[in-house]
Amino acid sequence: MTYAPLDLSGRVAVVIGGTSGIGQALSVGLARAGADVVATARHIEAIEATAAEIERTGRRSLRIAADVTDRASLDRLLRQTVAAFGQVDVLVNCAARTKRTPTLDVTEEEWAGILDTNLTGTLRACQIFGRHMMARGYGRIVNIASLTSFVAFHEVAAYGASKAAVAALTKSLAVEWGPKGVRVNAIAPGVFRTPLNQGLLDGTDRGRELLMRTPLGRVGSVDELAGACVFLASEAASFVNGEVIVVDGGFLASGVNQ
């Protein structure tokens, strides 16, 4: 067997939550690897900007708004992408939300909202696109987990519970869908400054602790996650299934650092 390159030419990828932060970096990274990429989110202005960036790489894109809490919008996203490009080969689930709240004070509404976006939203997208992929006998799904899939962060219990469950969901789907040609894996990013977390990082004790616990001594650039996503989407990862690949600068390996 010859080595399969990190080449996504001829593939079609959909990135949900793909217009800002980590999602945008993954959308553009997939396009640079050769895929046509539909980066979607709720706000059309961000979709327009990301689609234009994808098209500057020479790849094709569409401008379709979708919301992971709205199953009908995900159905429409799939239909319109297939109508334009013929198939969806790769699904990346990046949509997420978080809020820092002492757990005693978390309302059921806040808890349910975070889990509905981060966990149930991932499930919705996997169900809708996974059915299409299994009908074709081919698909690559990349979910976004978190360091909180493995370790606790102070006062973000709902987010941590959702991301631990995303890791478990990834493994469950890999077992069910792998025999049908659909590989399901996840990426767990370490400390990357994004619009989602910058308020928890910048100039805070929490931010300083996270930096101290990262052996590389810096936060990551979101572009540094693209390689892992391209790998999982490509035939170079043809026997990788049910894995959560951690890209964290050594955070989870860290014990005593000095």
Side-chain angles (χ1 to χ4, degrees), residues 84-95:
F85 297 148
Q87 79 273 348
V88 175
D89 303 293
V90 179
L91 171 69
V92 183
N93 284 305
C94 289

Side-chain angles (χ1 to χ4, degrees), residues 32-58:
R32 287 175 177 161
D36 296 320
V37 181
V38 178
T40 186
R42 292 179 297 169
H43 303 296
I44 194 64
E45 296 83 1
I47 294 169
E48 291 277 1
T50 303
E53 189 169 355
I54 290 165
E55 289 165 349
R56 282 193 290 271
T57 71

Side-chain angles (χ1 to χ4, degrees), residues 15-16 22-23 26 92-96 118 122 141-146 149 159 162-163 166-167 170 185-189 225 229 244:
V15 184
I16 299 176
I22 288 171
L26 299 187
V92 183
N93 284 305
C94 289
N118 299 1
T122 296
I141 296 176
V142 181
N143 297 323
I144 301 301
S146 166
S149 300
Y159 181 80
S162 73
K163 289 299 187 176
V166 165
T170 297
N185 294 286
I187 298 169
L225 289 165
C229 187
V244 181

Side-chain angles (χ1 to χ4, degrees), residues 16 40-42 65-74 76-77 95 117 124:
I16 299 176
T40 186
R42 292 179 297 169
D67 182 345
V68 293
T69 67
D70 178 0
R71 182 175 288 270
S73 76
L74 298 176
R76 183 172 62 251
L77 173 64
T117 295
R124 288 186 190 102

Side-chain angles (χ1 to χ4, degrees), residues 46-130:
I47 294 169
E48 291 277 1
T50 303
E53 189 169 355
I54 290 165
E55 289 165 349
R56 282 193 290 271
T57 71
R59 307 314 307 167
R60 297 177 297 171
S61 189
L62 298 173
R63 290 151 175 83
I64 306 169
D67 182 345
V68 293
T69 67
D70 178 0
R71 182 175 288 270
S73 76
L74 298 176
D75 282 324
R76 183 172 62 251
L77 173 64
L78 173 61
R79 289 196 308 272
Q80 292 182 0
T81 302
V82 171
F85 297 148
Q87 79 273 348
V88 175
D89 303 293
V90 179
L91 171 69
V92 183
N93 284 305
C94 289
R97 56 179 285 200
T98 189
K99 183 180 179 184
R100 183 173 181 176
T101 308
T103 304
L104 280 176
D105 299 327
V106 174
T107 65
E108 291 190 11
E109 181 182 19
E110 179 181 320
W111 177 275
I114 289 171
L115 265 71
D116 190 38
T117 295
N118 299 1
L119 174 59
T120 311
T122 296
L123 173 65
R124 288 186 190 102
C126 285
Q127 287 177 325
I128 289 167
F129 285 84

Side-chain angles (χ1 to χ4, degrees), residues 168-235:
L169 175 64
T170 297
K171 293 177 183 293
S172 293
L173 297 183
V175 170
E176 289 188 44
W177 297 358
K180 300 173 183 178
V182 180
R183 289 192 293 101
V184 186
N185 294 286
I187 298 169
V191 185
F192 291 81
R193 183 176 288 105
T194 71
L196 182 68
N197 68 10
Q198 63 186 8
L200 300 176
L201 293 180
D202 294 340
T204 66
D205 289 340
R206 188 190 200 87
R208 286 184 285 271
E209 181 179 354
L210 290 170
L211 189 62
M212 180 271 292
R213 291 179 180 273
T214 302
L216 291 188
R218 62 177 177 84
V219 300
S221 165
V222 290
D223 293 336
E224 293 177 293
L225 289 165
C229 187
V230 169
F231 168 69
L232 291 173
S234 76
E235 291 312 296

